[in-house]
Amino acid sequence: MSPSSYIYTYVRHGDEVELAKLEMRSFFGTDTASNVLTSAVAIHPSRSPFMKERLEILFEADSWKDLIEQVKQLDTQNATFKVHCINTMKLRSTEKIDHKDRRQLEREIGLEINGEPNLLQPEIIYGFMSVDDKWYFGNYLESESVWFRHQKKPHSYSTALSTRVARAVTNIAVPNPEGLKVIDPCSGIGNVLVEALSMQIDIVGRDINPLVIKPAQENIAYFGLSGEVTAGPIAEVVNHYDVAIIDMPYNIFSEATPADQLAILRHARRIADRVVVVTIETIDHMMAEVGLSIIDRCEAKKGLFIRQVLVCE
């Protein structure tokens, strides 16, 4: 396997599986029912609320002994390093390796690397793992739960998307943000905006309710981010965007009728090439009426509460 191949590990709860799989398909063009995915596509694991870590594969072998022999060829160019065993949980058919054995394996392979080990502040972190009777070694990158920090913000509503769901929906809508302009025309208190801006996505927010604009701006600023949020209906949007992300209004602050929802979708079709909609109601007939085709979808569950995530073009 070439150095341009990556192994991602995932942690997701039962209610999150379908949402995580839709995010996988958006990033990689495929999904998996297991907690391990291999792809040639490079995604920073901190982007996803479900990714645990990423291994950029440098060596692979059929046995531990063969992997050790390959790692002897590694040139660290005098950089300090540490080695991490990724088998901290069951990976496909491979059972978790217990703590004591992981440390022993780390010592064994670390002794074969030509470089200076540094467990506290290494310049390079290598990882290795056993999956389905194969061994892999490479550059290791652990996910940082950025979305988790965003739970603590000045303003929040119980009916708003959770930061975890907001981040996944943003990734589904904008898996590759380079050069794309994005709008959230029903942005509420800005949960999607915060997640998108933290991933350097070029996004603007808007909401028909002027009372939520200041709280949204304060939530964005609280995390040291900067983004535009304006008041007004989607009907007044004149610019064109590559993507629109719409969490369809449904809470006590919005009395959106079916006619209002249809109008939102019609204008979304007008202003954006790609539209991702989050809804608590089945609105397939509305999509068809405004000329939007649903190309992928999933249910995002939280107990008995179910949201639909629709990817449309």
Side-chain angles (χ1 to χ4, degrees), residues 26-130:
S26 300
F27 278 144
F28 306 112
T30 187
D31 64 39
T32 175
S34 78
N35 60 351
V36 180
L37 184 145
T38 303
S39 175
V41 178
I43 300 293
H44 196 294
S46 295
R47 282 197 61 184
S48 170
F50 310 114
M51 286 182 193
K52 184 174 185 289
E53 55 218 337
R54 184 186 83 185
L55 185 73
E56 180 185 5
I57 302 171
L58 300 178
F59 306 113
E60 69 170 87
D62 293 326
S63 70
W64 175 247
K65 181 179 178 181
D66 288 344
L67 187 71
I68 289 283
E69 289 302 312
Q70 292 188 54
V71 169
K72 289 179 180 179
Q73 308 167 25
L74 187 66
D75 182 8
T76 65
Q77 297 183 341
N78 297 319
T80 59
F81 73 91
K82 69 179 289 187
V83 186
H84 173 70
C85 179
I86 296 173
N87 293 85
T88 58
M89 59 183 177
K90 184 176 181 179
L91 301 174
R92 293 191 188 136
S93 65
T94 303
E95 295 295 331
K96 170 184 174 180
I97 300 176
D98 66 38
H99 178 83
K100 181 180 178 181
D101 291 339
R102 293 200 308 271
R103 296 294 86 82
Q104 178 60 32
L105 292 173
E106 289 168 355
R107 285 191 291 270
E108 285 182 23
I109 204 164
L111 287 172
E112 303 299 334
I113 297 175
N114 182 22
E116 182 67 28
N118 186 326
L119 300 182
L120 299 179
Q121 292 184 312
E123 295 171 279
I124 302 174
I125 301 179
Y126 294 116
F128 65 90
M129 63 197 302
S130 174

Side-chain angles (χ1 to χ4, degrees), residues 10 15 81 130 160 185 192 211 251 262 272 300:
Y10 278 78
D15 283 352
F81 73 91
S130 174
V192 166
L211 298 180
N251 60 39
L262 186 63

